[in-house]
């Protein structure tokens, strides 16, 4: 029996199969008649080898997500099922033609028509992406044209097949994706695929609509993939001069090799194609760089950009093995980007005190970064420009905050509150000094190490053997701010650093003379200076952006407006952009954002999604009855408290004023929410009714930037709160009525934060660095009484279990549970690791909660792996092009 007859037999009474109308890598398409509804449909049958691997139940379970998508430019799914071992799904039969047929007939489309089709497809993509569905196989064959309107077909089918079949799909020999439109990360298969893969595919489709061919063509699929991984597509203006520069720039951005360098959303891509105002990602090709590229190609100079993982894939495909292709001796004429790889089972470290977890050498040829691997212990890894594999540096266990010496021969770093150094080429680790807690260090040309400690700028010889000496003069403008992330300039006389007091827009970059100690505010709002390249100061912000601003080193003043040069850069929990720049003009940064999904995690580490859409969430807290969740959510440049109803699945904004409203805590009766709020010059505690009536009212405004978090004792009448930040943090309490005079719980010269009162109201757990390492302690509340150490290998951000019998805390990327006895005295009876914690952390304040029944943790799961580290070698070429273009347009 042939396939057509078998289908008619198997689906008798449901569908009548007319004829085969198409065949692809995953399925055969038939024109069929839906008997029940008397309509023509397209019935697609998965290839038998795929069906055998997947199984009916698994495939149908995964395809349900696709069935719920509804959009005007998205072809809906009518039906799916299995019959006699065959898996099928059913979609409407479109009388028009596919984009592929139109391109075969017309070769190139009018520019306006191509942009219309692209914008409509982008709208469908954006809708699906917001619902967590990625197409994974976008191509002209899957774009149908019906009465002038594009319809995207097979949305999520490749994803359903991939999820249902897992690794067994590779056994079939079927590729999930089409080489000409496949993103580099999909071609390599070594990283999770997200929405930016679809943006790349759409960029390839638009390129073909305007240029007549896909961006990469070759005689074999292997050769096409090799070009996808290594070649930069030609500017469309070379092929078709009438293509507007902004259209070409938008497409080039969509076709960037690195997902982090593409448009973040399909909506942004569509806006750019239409010439509307939109934030330009760091890698977008500007009209000036397009013209430069045209001239370069006309002169016959072609540059190849290849990441090390691309070389490995080409070898696997039978291509020609190659390393990086560098320019002739001297500075290359174009910026070359590549990804840093990680040793097996390693990832970037982002825990407490991490700060800058990477650094680039002064000549730009070496990058060092902090990873965490087996045993959840971090160490330094170095990568040379001319080497493929990274190398772990022995003896650097526990390392954070690395930095290079001016000659690039040494790496300085912090470990166990000691300042240390190690030779780049290998050798023993040397201890420079015990320095305690600090926020960043930098190596000056005169062989001094400059570091910041609370309100002090300190210096000491890199050889050790001398006490640190304070550089900066007393300055009343510092107040309770802390000095962070110093960077010595090439003149050896000036250091840039951040005067930081937390919150969005509340950090400023300052310059200080290493000779006189005088400080000069530069009027720049930023959280971490990276240095100066050819007269431009590069710095990061709390929003994950990098800026460049013209800077006069001699007179220590900014001479022009700042310009965005990179966005979606990871920011450490202590406010530093995870990035570095070399004086020679190279840049390294970790791509990432603060977006996360809200999940429930059981005590074995199993994860269950609660709010699956990634958003910039923070500090989730269950209401006392377990029916609602208060969570901070950043939108644009402001952060507000929202309340999520588990019954209705709605997320409703509570706060409406102030720059930053975060760190929510419920009153014990569930009627109000306490939160930290930055309003004007004050960072204090406010509270507001949870029924969305009334306005926020201040509880504590203790001065400029002084109050950081608060929580209630179980009686609801006592407030516990913290003043100051790392290096100068204390815990206090005060009644809400009567004598409201603050009284100290833990107020010493050490850092004490994250205070949480036990369910019986008799004990308080908190974090302190009094033993150098951060540890969890408990003492009687409100006191007096001796403290008891709870953690034994470091720990922080403790919370009590609802029954008061356990204290949970984070230690070395692990969720720990300490069983405690509170009567007749407090004691720890056991400690247990519950699960590895690969969730978003926040030093000093718990970024997680526990359900009222104590069965689950409420946590934030990062939406991206965050392990994508990008090196832009000779980035100064791109920097100059950007800044020159900006100056011409002003």
């Amino acid at each position: 029996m042939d396939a057509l007859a078998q289908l008619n037999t198997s689906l008798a009474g449901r569908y009548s199969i007319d004829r085969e109308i198409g065949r692809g890598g995953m399925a055969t398409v038939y024109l069929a008649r839906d008997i029940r509804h008397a309509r023509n449909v397209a019935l697609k049958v998965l290839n038998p080898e795929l069906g055998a691997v997947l199984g009916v139940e698994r495939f149908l379970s995964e395809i349900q997500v696709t069935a719920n998508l509804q959009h005007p430019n998205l072809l809906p799914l009518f039906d799916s099922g299995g019959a006699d071992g065959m898996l099928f799904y059913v979609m409407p039969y479109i009388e028009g033609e596919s984009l592929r047929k139109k391109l075969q007939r017309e070769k190139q489309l009018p520019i306006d028509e191509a942009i219309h089709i692209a914008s409509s497809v982008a709208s469908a993509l954006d809708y699906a992406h917001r619902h967590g569905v990625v197409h994974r196989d976008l191509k002209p064959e899957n774009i149908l044209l019906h009465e002038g309107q594009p319809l995207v077909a097979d949305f999520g089918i490749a994803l359903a097949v991939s999820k249902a079949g897992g690794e067994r799909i590779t056994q079939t020999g079927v590729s999930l994706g089409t080489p000409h439109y496949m993103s580099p990360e999909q071609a390599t298969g070594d990283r999770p695929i997200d929405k930016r893969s679809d943006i790349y595919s759409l960029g390839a489709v638009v390129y073909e609509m305007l240029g007549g061919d896909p961006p990469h063509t070759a005689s074999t699929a292997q050769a096409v993939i090799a070009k996808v991984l290594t070649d930069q597509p030609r500017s469309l203006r070379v092929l078709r001069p009438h293509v507007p520069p902004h259209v070409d720039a938008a497409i080039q951005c969509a076709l960037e090799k690195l997902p982090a360098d593409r448009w973040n959303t399909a909506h942004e891509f569509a806006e750019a194609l239409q010439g509307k105002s939109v934030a330009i990602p760091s890698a977008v090709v500007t009209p000036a760089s397009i013209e430069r590229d045209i001239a370069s190609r006309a002169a016959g100079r072609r540059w190849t950009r290849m990441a090390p993982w691309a070389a490995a894939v080409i070898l696997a495909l039978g291509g020609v093995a190659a390393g990086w292709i560098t320019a002739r001796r001297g500075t290359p004429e174009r910026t070359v980007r590549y990804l840093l790889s990680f040793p097996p089972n390693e990832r970037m470290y982002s825990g407490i005190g991490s700060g800058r977890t990477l650094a680039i050498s002064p000549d730009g040829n070496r990058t060092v970064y902090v990873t965490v691997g087996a045993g959840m212990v971090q160490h330094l890894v170095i990568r040379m420009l001319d080497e493929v594999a990274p190398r772990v540096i022995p003896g650097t266990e526990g390392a954070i905050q690395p930095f290079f010496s001016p000659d690039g021969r040494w790496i300085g770093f912090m470990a166990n509150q000691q300042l240390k150094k190690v030779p780049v080429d290998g050798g023993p680790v040397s201890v420079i000094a015990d320095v305690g807690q600090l926020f960043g260090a930098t190596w000056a040309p005169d062989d001094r190490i400059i570091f910041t400690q609370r309100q002090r700028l300190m210096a000491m010889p890199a050889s050790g053997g001398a006490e640190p000496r304070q550089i900066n003069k007393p300055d009343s403008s510092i107040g309770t701010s802390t000095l962070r992330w110093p960077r010595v300039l090439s003149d050896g006389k000036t250091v840039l650093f951040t005067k930081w007091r937390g919150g969005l827009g509340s950090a400023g970059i300052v310059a200080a003379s290493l000779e006189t100690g005088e400080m000069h505010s530069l009027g720049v709002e930023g959280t971490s200076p990276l240095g100066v390249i050819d007269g431009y100061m590069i710095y990061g912000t709390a929003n994950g952006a990098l800026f460049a601003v013209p800077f006069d080193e001699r007179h220590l003043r900014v001479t022009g407006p700042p310009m965005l040069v990179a966005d979606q850069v990871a920011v450490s929990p202590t406010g530093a952009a995870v990035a570095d720049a070399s004086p020679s003009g190279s840049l390294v940064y970790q791509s990432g954002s603060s977006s996360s999904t809200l999940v429930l995690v059981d005590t074995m580490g199993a994860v269950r999604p609660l709010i699956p859409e990634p958003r910039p969430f923070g500090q989730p807290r269950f209401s006392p009855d377990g029916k609602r969740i208060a969570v901070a959510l950043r939108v644009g440049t402001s952060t507000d408290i929202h309340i999520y109803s588990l019954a209705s699945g709605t997320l409703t904004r509570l706060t409406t004023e102030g720059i930053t409203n975060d760190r929510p805590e419920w009153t014990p009766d569930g009627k109000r929410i306490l939160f930290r709020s930055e309003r004007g010059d004050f960072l204090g505690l406010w509270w507001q009714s949870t029924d969305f009536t009334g306005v926020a009212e201040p509880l504590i405004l203790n001065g400029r930037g002084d109050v950081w978090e608060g929580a209630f004792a179980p009686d609801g009448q006592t407030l516990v709160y913290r003043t100051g930040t790392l290096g100068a943090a204390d815990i206090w309490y005060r009644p809400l009525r009567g004598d409201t005079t603050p009284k100290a719980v833990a107020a010493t010269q050490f850092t004490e934060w994250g205070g949480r009162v036990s369910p019986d109201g008799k004990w308080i757990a908190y974090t302190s660095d009094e033993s150098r390492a951060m540890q969890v302690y408990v003492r009687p509340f409100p006191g007096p009484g001796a403290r008891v150490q709870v953690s034994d290998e470091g720990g922080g951000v403790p919370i009590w279990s609802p029954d008061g019998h356990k204290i949970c805390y984070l230690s070395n990327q692990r969720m720990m549970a300490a069983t405690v006895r509170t009567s007749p005295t407090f004691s720890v009876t056991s400690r247990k690791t519950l699960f590895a914690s690969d969730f978003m952390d926040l030093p000093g304040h718990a970024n997680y909660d526990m359900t009222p029944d104590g069965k689950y943790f409420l946590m934030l799961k990062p939406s991206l792996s965050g392990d994508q580290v990008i090196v832009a070698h000779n980035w100064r070429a791109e920097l100059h092009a950007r800044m020159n273009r900006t100056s011409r347009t002003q």
Side-chain angles (χ1 to χ4, degrees), residues 527-856:
T527 58
S528 46
L530 305 185
V532 175
I533 298 175
D534 296 345
Y536 297 108
M537 181 174 68
I538 315 301
Y539 64 94
T541 69
N543 291 324
L546 297 184
F547 286 86
V549 64
F551 181 64
D552 181 347
E553 288 189 56
R554 181 178 178 183
H555 298 97
L556 299 181
R557 61 188 181 91
V558 169
T559 60
M563 177 182 176
L564 177 70
V565 292
D567 61 0
Q568 293 198 352
V569 175
V571 177
S572 78
T574 44
V578 186
D580 195 19
S582 70
S584 62
S586 292
L587 176 73
V588 60
Y589 63 95
Q590 181 181 353
S591 169
S593 70
S594 58
S595 292
S596 60
T597 58
L598 203 60
V599 298
L600 292 176
V601 185
D602 68 19
T603 56
M604 301 298 290
V607 177
R608 189 179 79 189
L610 196 60
I611 302 181
E613 181 183 357
R615 302 184 72 178
F617 291 122
Q619 312 97 46
R621 295 291 185 271
F622 265 109
S623 61
D625 60 7
K627 296 181 180 180
R628 294 176 293 172
I629 295 171
V631 63
L633 175 61
R634 190 180 77 239
V635 178
T637 57
S638 63
T639 302
D640 282 294
I641 307 299
H642 289 63
I643 296 180
Y644 178 74
S645 168
L646 275 72
S648 65
T650 56
L651 187 67
T652 306
R653 181 182 176 188
L654 177 68
T655 59
T656 57
E657 298 180 15
I659 300 172
T660 303
N661 301 288
D662 61 4
R663 306 186 180 188
E665 298 289 344
W666 296 82
T667 54
D669 60 10
K671 294 183 178 180
R672 294 193 182 195
I673 288 178
L674 175 78
F675 56 94
R676 181 184 73 156
S677 185
E678 183 177 4
R679 306 187 180 203
D681 288 337
F682 293 96
L683 191 65
L685 296 180
W686 298 59
W687 63 351
Q688 190 165 343
S689 173
T690 59
D691 62 3
F692 301 98
T693 62
V695 295
E697 301 173 3
L699 271 185
I700 299 180
L701 296 179
N702 216 39
R704 187 178 176 87
D706 197 32
V707 183
W708 289 84
E709 62 179 338
F712 292 100
D715 62 7
Q717 302 301 313
T718 307
L719 177 66
V720 175
Y721 63 97
R722 185 244 296 185
T723 60
T725 184
L726 189 61
D730 299 311
I731 301 174
W732 306 80
Y733 79 95
R734 54 165 257 194
L736 297 182
R737 296 181 178 86
D739 181 8
T740 59
T741 303
K743 297 179 177 63
V745 175
T748 70
Q749 71 269 34
F750 304 107
T751 297
E752 292 112 354
W753 55 14
R756 295 268 164 176
V757 180
S758 61
D760 63 6
K762 297 180 179 179
W763 307 92
I764 184 169
Y766 63 97
T767 308
S768 174
D769 65 352
E770 61 184 275
S771 60
R772 288 195 173 274
M774 288 290 184
Q775 300 281 7
V776 175
Y777 295 89
V778 165
R779 63 172 58 200
F781 181 79
R787 57 169 178 50
V788 177
Q789 185 173 322
V790 175
S791 56
D792 62 344
E793 296 181 349
V797 290
I799 64 172
W800 294 83
S801 63
D803 61 10
H805 295 158
K806 289 183 174 62
I807 295 176
C808 298
Y809 59 93
L810 294 178
S811 174
N812 297 320
Q813 304 290 306
R814 298 170 296 167
M815 178 64 76
M816 305 291 296
T819 301
V820 300
R821 182 182 292 120
T822 58
S823 180
T825 59
F826 185 91
S827 62
V828 178
T829 60
S830 66
R831 299 179 186 87
K832 178 182 179 181
T833 299
L834 298 182
F835 51 85
S837 178
D838 195 20
F839 301 92
M840 297 189 76
D841 191 11
L842 180 66
H845 187 84
N847 213 19
Y848 67 99
D849 197 15
M850 187 175 280
T851 54
D853 61 8
K855 294 181 178 179
Y856 297 93

Side-chain angles (χ1 to χ4, degrees), residues 349 351-358 400-401 485 571-578:
Y349 173 69
I352 291 176
S354 55
R356 285 181 176 146
T357 50
L358 47 75
I400 55 175
Q401 303 179 26
W485 318 125
V571 177
S572 78
T574 44
V578 186

Side-chain angles (χ1 to χ4, degrees), residues 220-290:
T220 65
Q222 289 87 351
V224 170
I225 291 177
K227 287 189 174 184
V228 167
L229 297 175
T230 61
D231 279 6
Q232 184 72 11
R234 286 190 298 171
S235 166
L236 279 168
R237 287 170 57 78
V238 175
L239 303 172
R240 192 172 175 181
H242 290 297
V243 172
H246 73 269
V247 173
D248 193 14
I251 296 169
Q252 290 285 351
C253 180
L255 294 175
E256 282 291 333
K257 305 297 183 191
L258 304 180
D261 288 339
R262 298 177 205 144
W263 300 106
N264 188 48
T265 66
H267 174 73
E268 289 180 357
F269 184 20
E271 293 275 286
L273 285 172
Q274 297 169 44
K276 297 180 180 178
S277 176
V278 66
I280 300 178
S282 62
V284 71
V285 182
T286 62
S289 63
I290 292 171

Side-chain angles (χ1 to χ4, degrees), residues 457-474:
L457 187 65
M458 310 293 290
M460 68 176 304
S463 57
E467 289 296 317
R469 181 179 64 84
Q470 183 171 347
I471 296 174
N472 63 307
K473 294 180 178 180

Side-chain angles (χ1 to χ4, degrees), residues 220-450:
T220 65
Q222 289 87 351
V224 170
I225 291 177
K227 287 189 174 184
V228 167
L229 297 175
T230 61
D231 279 6
Q232 184 72 11
R234 286 190 298 171
S235 166
L236 279 168
R237 287 170 57 78
V238 175
L239 303 172
R240 192 172 175 181
H242 290 297
V243 172
H246 73 269
V247 173
D248 193 14
I251 296 169
Q252 290 285 351
C253 180
L255 294 175
E256 282 291 333
K257 305 297 183 191
L258 304 180
D261 288 339
R262 298 177 205 144
W263 300 106
N264 188 48
T265 66
H267 174 73
E268 289 180 357
F269 184 20
E271 293 275 286
L273 285 172
Q274 297 169 44
K276 297 180 180 178
S277 176
V278 66
I280 300 178
S282 62
V284 71
V285 182
T286 62
S289 63
I290 292 171
E291 302 303 333
R292 187 177 66 249
D293 185 60
I294 294 172
S296 175
R297 292 182 181 279
R301 297 191 301 269
R302 297 173 184 269
W303 298 92
T304 300
R305 300 191 296 180
M306 180 186 295
W309 46 263
V313 172
I314 295 172
L315 280 171
L317 294 171
V320 178
W324 293 284
I325 296 179
T326 57
R328 298 179 297 274
R329 292 175 183 256
T331 304
E333 298 179 12
R334 292 185 61 187
T335 300
V336 178
R337 279 181 171 82
Y338 57 89
L339 292 177
L340 290 180
S341 56
F342 293 80
N345 302 316
E346 301 254 334
R347 59 177 174 78
M348 284 290 287
Y349 173 69
S350 59
I352 291 176
S354 55
R356 285 181 176 146
T357 50
L358 47 75
I360 193 166
S361 62
D363 61 6
N365 291 332
R366 299 177 179 88
T367 306
V368 65
Y369 43 111
V370 184
T371 69
V372 61
M376 310 307 290
V377 175
Q378 69 266 21
H379 43 229
L380 295 182
V381 172
I382 192 168
R383 176 65 171 277
M384 306 291 194
L385 179 64
D386 56 355
E387 293 179 357
V388 173
R391 171 171 54 88
V392 175
I393 302 178
T396 59
E397 291 79 10
I400 55 175
Q401 303 179 26
F403 56 98
F404 278 93
S405 61
D407 60 9
R409 297 172 56 190
W410 292 85
I411 298 170
F413 61 96
M414 283 292 299
N416 302 318
Q417 300 206 3
Q418 291 181 318
L419 192 58
K420 300 182 177 183
K421 64 180 181 179
V422 63
V424 166
D425 296 326
V429 173
S430 304
V431 176
I432 299 174
D434 290 344
V435 293
Q437 183 69 47
L438 58 80
F439 282 110
T442 182
W443 204 313
D446 61 3
D447 210 34
R448 287 188 300 168
I449 292 179
I450 313 299

